[in-house]
């Protein structure tokens, strides 16, 4: 979820910790990541991996399945508990205050979570716990429906939740692939900073789409009655489309190498 004032999102701790109340739904409804992205990370030959903001372990499980020794750091106890239930070792902390206790990693990953990390402190912390030549890989699933569908959904938001209509990343395409690069370059600890997109499509039915957007922090924080009305109206739009919505993802990877 880069963009949309993402550089300041780490300051909104209440929003950052809003996912715990929907942890099981988050684990079920949030998308995974494309195999090509995981292939690119494995090509870096990591053995010890740190997953920052590991949530319910979606990224960690993919890397563990490829043979990586992975440790998660997650501030929310409910999210951490689900990750542990999937066999992931998790330490509960924000990344900024997490204590590495001398541990060093080959790769640090952060899927759908780096915008909750203080960019100045986070980059320096990452550099301090990576071996020389190790990599920091942060990535986000960015998505959008077709234009005509987006207009119908947007009309519902404007009517029922106008305060999140403009910044709602579920239907607003994001076009700034370089918007996170500067924070990795400016610290002087990383080289070869680059961005790469991995496009993929999926189809949601009414139930799966409503479950997905019900996990977004701006939706979670709406009053219960208004959130229910919003979800019902959005579901009605999908019904008018024949019951499904085609959604176009591009997973943005920002990759940086720790200086030797």
């Amino acid at each position: 979820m880069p963009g949309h004032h993402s550089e300041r999102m780490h300051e909104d701790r209440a929003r950052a910790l809003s996912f715990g109340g929907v942890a099981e739904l988050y684990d079920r409804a949030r998308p995974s990541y494309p195999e090509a992205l995981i292939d690119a990370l494995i090509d870096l030959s990591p053995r010890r991996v740190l997953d920052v903001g590991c949530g319910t372990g979606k990224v960690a499980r993919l890397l563990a399945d490829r043979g990586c020794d992975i440790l998660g750091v997650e501030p929310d106890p409910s999210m951490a508990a689900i990750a542990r239930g999937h066999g992931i070792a998790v330490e509960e902390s924000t990344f900024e205050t997490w204590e590495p206790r001398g541990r060093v990693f080959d790769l640090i990953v952060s899927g759908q979570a780096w915008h909750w990390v203080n960019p100045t402190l986070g980059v320096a912390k990452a550099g301090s716990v990576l071996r020389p030549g190790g990599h920091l890989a942060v990535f986000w699933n960015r998505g959008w429906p077709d234009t005509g569908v987006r207009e119908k959904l947007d009309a519902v938001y404007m009517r029922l939740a106008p305060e999140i209509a403009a910044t709602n990343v579920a239907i607003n395409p994001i076009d700034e692939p370089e918007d996170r690069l500067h924070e990795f370059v400016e610290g002087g600890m990383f080289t070869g900073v680059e961005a790469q997109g991995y496009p993929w499509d999926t189809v949601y039915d009414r139930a799966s789409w409503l479950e997905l957007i019900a996990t977004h922090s701006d939706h979670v924080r709406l009053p219960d009655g208004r959130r229910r009305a919003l979800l019902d109206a959005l579901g009605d739009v999908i019904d008018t489309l024949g019951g499904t919505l085609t959604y176009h993802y591009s997973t943005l990877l920002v990759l940086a190498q720790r200086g030797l």
Side-chain angles (χ1 to χ4, degrees):
M1 197 184 342
H4 297 305
H5 310 293
S6 58
E7 292 180 358
R8 295 192 298 275
M9 288 182 70
H10 67 276
E11 298 174 358
D12 191 347
R13 297 312 302 166
R15 184 172 177 182
L17 296 173
S18 65
F19 301 103
V22 292
E24 291 185 3
L25 181 61
Y26 189 104
D27 191 48
R28 182 171 70 249
R30 282 293 183 110
S32 186
Y33 297 92
E35 186 174 1
L37 167 64
I38 304 304
D39 288 342
L41 298 179
I42 294 300
D43 285 345
L44 301 173
S45 300
R47 186 178 68 84
R48 301 192 67 195
V49 180
L50 181 69
D51 185 356
V52 173
C54 70
T56 62
K58 284 186 170 287
V59 178
R61 282 174 261 166
L62 295 172
L63 293 173
D65 287 346
R66 298 290 194 97
C68 296
D69 177 8
I70 190 155
L71 172 67
V73 175
E74 168 57 44
D76 187 274
S78 297
M79 302 283 273
I82 291 178
R84 292 190 189 104
H86 289 296
I88 304 302
V90 184
E91 297 179 5
E92 291 178 25
S93 175
T94 63
F95 182 52
E96 297 93 327
T97 60
W98 172 70
E99 177 51 61
R101 303 197 303 276
R103 290 169 290 184
V104 178
F105 298 85
D106 305 309
L107 172 67
I108 296 175
V109 296
S110 184
Q112 215 73 20
W114 191 257
H115 49 280
W116 301 121
V117 175
N118 180 300
T120 302
L121 298 178
V123 170
K125 185 72 166 279
S128 73
V129 298
L130 277 171
R131 65 166 175 78
H135 291 82
L136 172 62
V138 301
F139 40 95
W140 294 266
N141 282 325
R142 309 171 303 155
W144 56 93
D146 292 324
T147 300
V149 175
R150 177 180 176 270
E151 291 171 350
K152 292 178 180 179
L153 296 172
D154 188 55
V156 174
Y157 280 99
M158 291 301 296
R159 178 165 56 89
L160 296 176
E163 69 270 37
I164 66 172
T167 57
N168 169 21
V169 297
I171 64 170
N172 290 306
I174 302 170
D175 298 319
E176 59 280 338
E178 287 83 30
D179 76 332
R180 306 296 301 195
L181 298 188
H182 66 88
E183 69 192 52
F184 303 104
V185 174
E186 290 173 356
M189 301 184 74
F190 290 93
T191 61
V193 182
E194 60 184 64
Q196 175 69 43
Y198 295 86
W200 54 288
D201 292 347
T202 193
V203 175
Y204 290 101
D205 61 17
R206 175 184 176 128
S208 60
W209 176 254
L210 297 185
E211 285 191 338
L212 170 67
I213 61 175
T215 69
H216 284 214
S217 58
D218 50 0
H219 293 62
V220 170
R221 299 182 75 190
L222 289 172
D224 288 345
R226 292 185 57 213
R227 183 174 61 253
R228 286 195 298 269
L230 174 66
L231 294 177
D232 286 344
L234 294 171
D236 291 344
V237 170
I238 295 176
D239 288 345
T240 68
L241 300 172
T244 62
L245 178 157
T246 299
Y247 200 65
H248 311 287
Y249 278 107
S250 179
T251 303
L252 170 67
L253 166 67
V254 179
L255 184 66
Q257 185 171 27
R258 172 76 162 85
L260 296 173

